[in-house]
Amino acid sequence: MFRTALRNVLAHKARLLMTVLAVMLGVAFVSGTLVFADTLSNAFRNQSAKSYDDVAVAITSHADPDNPKEEPGLSRKTLDKLSAADGVDGVYGRVNGFAGVADPDGKLIGVGWSNKGSNFAPGKDGKDPAYTFTDGSGPVKDDQIALDKDSAAKGEYKVGDRVRVATNGPVKEFTLSGVFTTEDGAVNAGGSLVLFDTAVAQKQYLKPGYFEEATVSAASGSDDAKVLAAVKPLLPASADAETGQALADEQAKQIEQGLGNLKQVLLGFAGIALFVGIFLISNTFTMLVAQRTKEIALMRAVGASRKQITRSVLAEAAVVGLVASVIGFVLGIGLAVGLRSGMAAFEMKIPDGPLILSVTPVLAAIGVGVLITMLAAWLPGRRAAKIPPVAAMSSVHAVATTKSLVVRNSIGAAITALGAAGIVAGASTGGDSGRMYIGAGAFLALIGVIILIPLLSRPVIALVRPLLVGPFGVAGKLAGQNAVRNPRRTGATASALAIGLTLVTGLSVLGITVGTAIDKMTTDNIKADYMVSMANGGDLDQSALTALEKAKGVSAVSPQQDVYFRTGDDDFVSASAVTPGAIQQVLNVDVVSGNIDSLAKGQIAVADKTAKSKGWKPGDSIPVTFSDEKKTTLTVGAVFKDSEFLSPVLVDTKVVNPHEVKPYIPQIFVKVDGGQSSANEKVLIDALGDNPAIKIMDQQDIRSEFGGAINTLLNIMYGLLAMALIIAVLGVVNTLAMSVFERQQEIGMLRAIGLDRRRVKRMVRLEAVVISVFGAVIGIGLGSFLGWAIGETIADQIPGYRLVLPWDRIGIFLVLAGLVGVLAALWPARNAARLNMLNAIKAE
C-alpha cells in the first residue's frame, strides 16, 4: 500500500503542487518566525552581554532631583569613595537625556524617541571604556561633542565640523571632536548618541556635580561579587547596585519576553494561514480520490481493507507534507533573512550576529507540515475507504444521503447560534471579559458557518444567477449551475476565502470606526492652527513658549502644562496650566456653568465628571497643596464638559509656576492670523530657532498623529493576512481544476453542440468569480458582525464612538474577490477550452 501511495504521489504532480504550495507557505511562516526570533534573541543577548563586558558593577540612583531634602543623584564625592574601594579599577559617572542632531538639511537624524545625549567619562588613561573612537577623541571642552559613527555618516560630519544639537532648550552649535562606535541600545534602535563634556551634560540633564548612574570596572583578578559587596555600603539610600552580569541576564530576559510577544503574533497569523490551507489540502485529496474511484474500488474488490485504503491516502499525505515541510523550512530561512533586512530598511538596526538554526524550528516545520497535511487528508481518506467494490463500474462517488445533510446542517446551525449568542453577550458585557466571550463566540461562529456554508451556497448563489444570465447568456447560466453542483466542495473553497476576509473585514470595521472617532474628536476639540511638541515626546523649554508668544502674526498661544496638586481630601488632581483668554481660542472649552474668563482671576475650571464626583460647583473654595508643599485656596470659576484634550482641572500658569522647579510643557497650541500656510509655519520655525527636535504640526498632522497609527497597524495586519488569502486563491484554482476534470464529458458535449472555446473559458471564469464572491460575502458579513461586537467593548473609552462600515473598503474587497476568481480561473479555463471534443465525450 505504501508503494501504491508513492506511485500516486508521482502520478499526480500537478494536482499535488497546489497542496505543496499551501503547506509550504504556512510552514515557511512558522519556521521563518521561529528562526527570526531565535536570531534576534541571540543577537540582542550578545549585544547586551558585550555592553557589560567591562562592567563589574552598575549603580543607579533613584533620587528625586526636584526634592530639596535629598541629593539629586550620585555626587562626585561618592564616586571618589567608590574608586578607593577594594578591587575597584575605575568608576565612570553617567548622566543621560535627550539630544537631537540636525542633518545638513536641518532635519532630525534618528526617530526622536531614541535620540540620546550622555557624557564622556574618561578614566586615568583618558579613555572611556564604553566607547571606541574611530576618529578624533572625546569632548573635553564646553563647546565640543562626540557623535556615534552612524549619525556622523548620515549627517556627513567630520571631526572639526560645527554641529547643531538640540535638547529641550534652544539649539546650540558644537565642534565635533570625535566619532565613536558603541553598543548603546538607542543607536542600535536607529537613533543617535551625542557625548558632551561631563560638566555640560550635568548642567543640561541633572545638576552640576551629580550623576544618575555609574559603572564600576574591576581591577585585574578581582571578583565582581566581591566588588559589589565592597561598594554597596558606600552608596546613598536612594541608589542600588547590581553586577554587570546580573544586569546582562536581566536584559536578556526582557529581550526574550519582548520577542516572545512578537513571535506569538506572527505564529498566530501563520496558524491562520495553515487553517485556511486545510481546506485546500482536503479539496486536493478529495479530487485525487475522485479521480481514482474506480482504482480504489478494484483494490477493495481484490481484498484491500478499509484501513489499508485510509492508510494509503494518509501515507500519500505524509509524503506530500514532508516534501512541502522541507521546502517550506528552506523558504522560512529566507523569510527570516528578509525580515531582518526589512527591519534594517526601516532604520531599525539589528546587532550583528549569525543566523540561528536550532532544532525547534526544524521539528516545528516538519511536525506542523506533516500533521496538517495528514489531518486535512484524513476525511477524504475515510471517504475513499467507504467506496464499495461495486463502484468499480462507476467513476463517481455516491451522493450524500439526506440524513447526513440534515445532521450536518443541524450541527452547523446549533454551533453558529451558540457562537452568535456568545458574540452578542460579549458585546453587551464589554471590557476584557466581553472580549473573551467574543473570542470564544467568534471561534464557534466561524466553525458553524464553515459547516453550514454548503447549505448557504444554493440560496446565496441563486440570488446572483440572474445577473449572470443577462450579460453572459448560456455561459453565465452554466456557470451559476456549476457553482452549486457540488455544494460541499464549493463551500470548502468559499470557506478559505471567508476566513481570511472575516479577519480583514473585522479589522477594517474596528480600525475605521476607531479612527473616525479619534479624527472627529481631534477636529471637534482643536481650534488651533498648529500644535508644537518635542520629537521625542518630552517637554518643551519655557523659552519655546516665550518665543512663540513673540512671533509675528500669532494671535493666541497656550501651553498644555502638566501640573499635579493635592486637594483638601489629600487626593492628587491632574491639571493643565494654560493661558487664560488664549485657551478658548486654541481648544474647544464647552462651559456647562460659570465663566471660563474667571481663569484670568486666578480661579480654576473643573471638568464635569470631576466636579460631580467631588461635589464641586462654581463659587466653591478648594484648599490645595502644590508640589513644593505650599498651600492655598483656589475658587471654582467654571465647570466644562469632559474632553480628551483637557485635564480635569484648568488653571492659569501664573498660579502654579511659582511652585514648579521647572514647568513641564508637553504641547503648545498656536493660532495665527491668516490660518495655516507655509509662510506662517516658516515664521514659527524661525521663532523656535530652526530647532530640528521640535515638531510643528498643522491640523492634518495632528489628526495623523492621533489616528495614523491605526492605519499603519491595519496595513501591517493586511500584509500578515495576505498569505492566508494567497492560499485561498490556490483553493479556488484547485476547485475549478477538479470541476473541469469531473465535467470533461459534459464540456465535450457542450463543445460538440456549438459552445465555442471563448464561451467555455467564460463559463469557467464566471464560476470562479461566483465562488470567490460568495466566500467574500460570507466573510464580510461575519467580519462586520465581529467588528461591531469588539467595538462595543471599547465604545465607552472613546468619546463619540459610532459604528462606521467602510463601504469603500468593502467594495474593494468584493472587487478583489472577483479579480481573484478571474486570475484563479486562467489555468483551469484554458485547460477546459483545449479539451479534445471526441476524447472528452469518451471520458468516463
Side-chain angles (χ1 to χ4, degrees):
M1 295 305 294
F2 180 76
R3 286 198 301 272
T4 302
L6 190 60
R7 186 204 66 190
N8 287 328
V9 169
L10 298 175
H12 301 93
K13 301 181 186 70
R15 294 283 183 266
L16 291 171
L17 177 61
M18 285 176 283
T19 296
V20 170
L21 284 172
V23 179
M24 179 184 72
L25 290 172
V27 168
F29 211 152
V30 172
S31 57
T33 296
L34 295 174
V35 171
F36 178 63
D38 288 346
T39 300
L40 252 63
S41 179
N42 180 72
F44 280 115
R45 273 200 309 269
N46 290 343
Q47 181 200 51
S48 176
K50 190 175 179 181
S51 66
Y52 287 103
D53 274 350
D54 299 318
V55 178
V57 175
I59 302 166
T60 304
S61 172
H62 302 287
D64 181 3
D66 297 330
N67 187 350
K69 296 181 180 179
E70 66 178 7
E71 290 188 311
L74 301 166
S75 66
R76 170 56 64 183
K77 185 178 178 181
T78 300
L79 264 59
D80 291 340
K81 287 181 181 178
L82 295 174
S83 299
D86 290 341
V88 173
D89 180 57
V91 180
Y92 307 89
R94 309 284 180 194
V95 283
N96 303 293
F98 170 75
V101 180
D103 65 14
D105 297 325
K107 303 297 183 183
L108 184 69
I109 294 175
V111 288
W113 58 268
S114 59
N115 294 115
K116 181 180 172 184
S118 189
N119 63 301
F120 177 64
K124 299 171 186 176
D125 56 358
K127 296 180 180 180
D128 189 329
Y131 312 106
T132 301
F133 279 82
T134 59
D135 193 12
S137 59
V140 292
K141 295 180 181 179
D142 290 356
D143 68 339
Q144 291 182 334
I145 62 161
L147 198 57
D148 71 273
K149 187 177 179 180
D150 289 345
S151 298
K154 290 175 185 176
E156 300 177 3
Y157 292 122
K158 297 179 181 178
V159 172
D161 288 349
R162 297 291 285 176
V163 181
R164 297 176 71 243
V165 180
T167 55
N168 65 342
V171 179
K172 296 179 181 179
E173 278 199 354
F174 296 85
T175 299
L176 185 63
S177 66
V179 176
F180 59 87
T181 59
T182 177
E183 296 298 329
D184 191 282
V187 176
N188 285 309
S192 62
L193 176 60
V194 181
L195 295 183
F196 299 92
D197 175 63
T198 295
V200 174
Q202 287 176 327
K203 182 180 179 181
Q204 194 162 256
Y205 297 128
L206 190 59
K207 191 176 180 180
Y210 288 93
F211 301 90
E212 294 172 309
E213 302 169 352
T215 56
V216 179
S217 60
S220 180
S222 297
D223 180 72
D224 290 357
K226 291 181 180 178
V227 173
L228 176 63
V231 302
K232 258 194 172 182
L234 305 176
L235 297 176
S238 59
D240 57 31
E242 287 186 85
T243 63
Q245 184 59 52
L247 282 176
D249 293 342
E250 186 177 331
Q251 282 196 6
K253 287 181 182 178
Q254 292 173 352
I255 290 167
E256 290 285 352
Q257 290 174 354
L259 291 175
N261 295 332
L262 173 64
K263 183 162 67 174
Q264 287 175 8
V265 170
L266 292 176
L267 287 176
F269 284 97
I272 293 169
L274 288 168
F275 184 57
V276 171
I278 286 176
F279 296 95
L280 169 57
I281 298 165
S282 181
N283 265 357
T284 300
F285 278 92
T286 298
M287 176 172 64
L288 295 175
V289 168
Q291 288 177 321
R292 305 200 317 262
T293 301
K294 190 171 184 179
E295 173 190 325
I296 292 171
L298 287 172
M299 291 175 65
R300 293 276 288 115
V302 298
S305 66
R306 289 187 175 184
K307 287 184 178 180
Q308 285 178 313
I309 297 296
T310 303
R311 286 183 199 141
S312 173
V313 175
L314 291 178
E316 190 175 335
V319 172
V320 172
L322 183 61
V323 172
S325 297
V326 172
I327 299 172
F329 178 72
V330 174
L331 283 178
I333 295 173
L335 178 63
V337 173
L339 285 171
R340 185 169 178 171
S341 301
M343 292 182 73
F346 284 98
E347 295 190 351
M348 298 176 66
K349 186 179 176 182
I350 307 300
D352 293 331
L355 194 70
I356 303 300
L357 299 177
S358 62
V359 176
T360 302
V362 177
L363 295 179
I366 295 175
V368 167
V370 173
L371 287 176
I372 288 292
T373 311
M374 292 181 69
L375 176 65
W378 175 76
L379 190 58
R382 186 168 173 269
R383 288 175 184 163
K386 290 183 176 181
I387 296 175
V390 72
M393 303 302 295
S394 175
S395 61
V396 295
H397 284 284
V399 178
T401 63
T402 303
K403 180 181 177 181
S404 69
L405 292 175
V406 170
V407 171
R408 176 190 176 115
N409 294 333
S410 299
I411 293 173
I415 295 176
T416 303
L418 187 61
I423 293 171
V424 173
S428 60
T429 302
D432 292 337
S433 299
R435 285 189 283 276
M436 289 179 63
Y437 289 138
I438 291 172
F443 177 76
L444 291 174
L446 200 57
I447 296 299
V449 168
I450 289 170
I451 296 173
L452 277 178
I453 212 165
L455 176 67
L456 298 173
S457 63
R458 289 187 180 277
V460 173
I461 294 176
L463 292 175
V464 300
R465 195 179 298 165
L467 301 176
L468 301 176
V469 176
F472 304 108
V474 174
K477 182 178 181 180
L478 291 172
Q481 293 174 343
N482 292 334
V484 292
R485 178 173 293 187
N486 191 328
R488 288 193 176 187
R489 191 171 63 223
T490 297
T493 304
S495 294
L497 275 171
I499 292 167
L501 282 172
T502 294
L503 298 172
V504 169
T505 306
L507 288 170
S508 297
V509 169
L510 185 61
I512 298 298
T513 300
V514 172
T516 301
I518 292 175
D519 189 64
K520 186 175 185 301
M521 180 176 65
T522 304
T523 53
D524 286 353
N525 287 281
I526 296 179
K527 295 157 69 174
D529 296 311
Y530 297 98
M531 184 176 82
V532 179
S533 62
M534 291 293 291
N536 69 329
D539 62 312
L540 291 154
D541 191 73
Q542 183 74 29
S543 60
L545 177 61
T546 304
L548 290 170
E549 289 172 339
K550 295 178 180 179
K552 182 181 178 181
V554 171
S555 58
V557 177
S558 178
Q560 272 270 57
Q561 179 180 323
D562 288 350
V563 179
Y564 295 89
F565 51 74
R566 298 199 310 276
T567 60
D569 52 7
D570 215 30
D571 281 347
F572 277 92
V573 175
S574 171
S576 286
V578 298
T579 302
I583 188 66
Q584 303 96 300
Q585 298 181 56
V586 296
L587 291 176
N588 185 23
V589 184
D590 193 351
V591 178
V592 176
S593 59
N595 191 339
I596 195 68
D597 292 335
S598 61
L599 286 173
K601 301 176 184 178
Q603 297 181 0
I604 60 174
V606 184
D608 195 18
K609 289 181 181 177
T610 301
K612 287 179 180 177
S613 66
K614 293 186 175 294
W616 295 346
K617 60 184 182 299
D620 287 353
S621 296
I622 312 299
V624 300
T625 304
F626 293 106
S627 59
D628 61 356
E629 297 301 321
K630 291 185 179 179
K631 300 181 179 180
T632 190
T633 300
L634 297 176
T635 302
V636 177
V639 174
F640 60 90
K641 283 186 179 180
D642 285 81
S643 167
E644 291 296 309
F645 290 89
L646 294 169
S647 295
V649 174
L650 300 181
V651 62
D652 188 351
T653 54
K654 294 177 182 177
V655 174
V656 298
N657 280 353
H659 307 282
E660 299 290 321
V661 176
K662 182 180 180 298
Y664 189 89
I665 307 174
Q667 300 108 15
I668 300 174
F669 292 95
V670 184
K671 196 166 186 62
V672 294
D673 296 334
Q676 301 172 26
S677 68
S678 56
N680 281 335
E681 186 172 341
K682 182 68 166 59
V683 169
L684 300 185
I685 291 172
D686 291 342
L688 293 167
D690 195 13
N691 192 324
I694 294 180
K695 293 193 298 183
I696 299 175
M697 296 181 284
D698 59 22
Q699 288 194 351
Q700 183 55 52
D701 293 330
I702 297 170
R703 293 164 67 184
S704 299
E705 178 86 359
F706 289 99
I710 294 174
N711 288 329
T712 302
L713 183 62
L714 278 177
N715 291 334
I716 292 172
M717 294 298 183
Y718 290 160
L720 291 173
L721 288 169
M723 190 171 294
L725 293 175
I726 290 171
I727 294 174
V729 172
L730 294 176
V732 178
V733 176
N734 219 16
T735 295
L736 293 174
M738 187 189 306
S739 180
V740 169
F741 167 77
E742 288 182 350
R743 302 203 313 268
Q744 287 185 72
Q745 192 174 62
E746 175 189 319
I747 292 171
M749 292 294 294
L750 290 171
R751 291 274 289 113
I753 62 176
L755 194 68
D756 59 21
R757 290 185 175 183
R758 182 172 56 85
R759 283 188 287 182
V760 168
K761 287 182 179 180
R762 182 181 298 167
M763 176 185 71
V764 176
R765 282 198 295 265
L766 289 174
E767 181 182 346
V769 170
V770 168
I771 294 172
S772 298
V773 173
F774 168 57
V777 168
I778 298 296
I780 288 170
L782 186 55
S784 299
F785 182 44
L786 287 175
W788 162 81
I790 296 172
E792 288 297 303
T793 66
I794 60 174
D796 59 344
Q797 301 170 28
I798 303 174
Y801 182 94
R802 295 288 184 277
L803 179 68
V804 176
L805 290 177
W807 295 111
D808 54 342
R809 297 201 185 194
I810 289 174
I812 291 172
F813 296 157
L814 288 171
V815 170
L816 289 177
L819 184 61
V820 161
V822 172
L823 294 176
L826 290 177
W827 176 57
R830 182 170 174 270
N831 285 348
R834 294 179 65 184
L835 283 174
N836 182 285
M837 284 185 285
L838 295 178
N839 291 338
I841 292 171
K842 291 189 297 180
E844 294 183 1

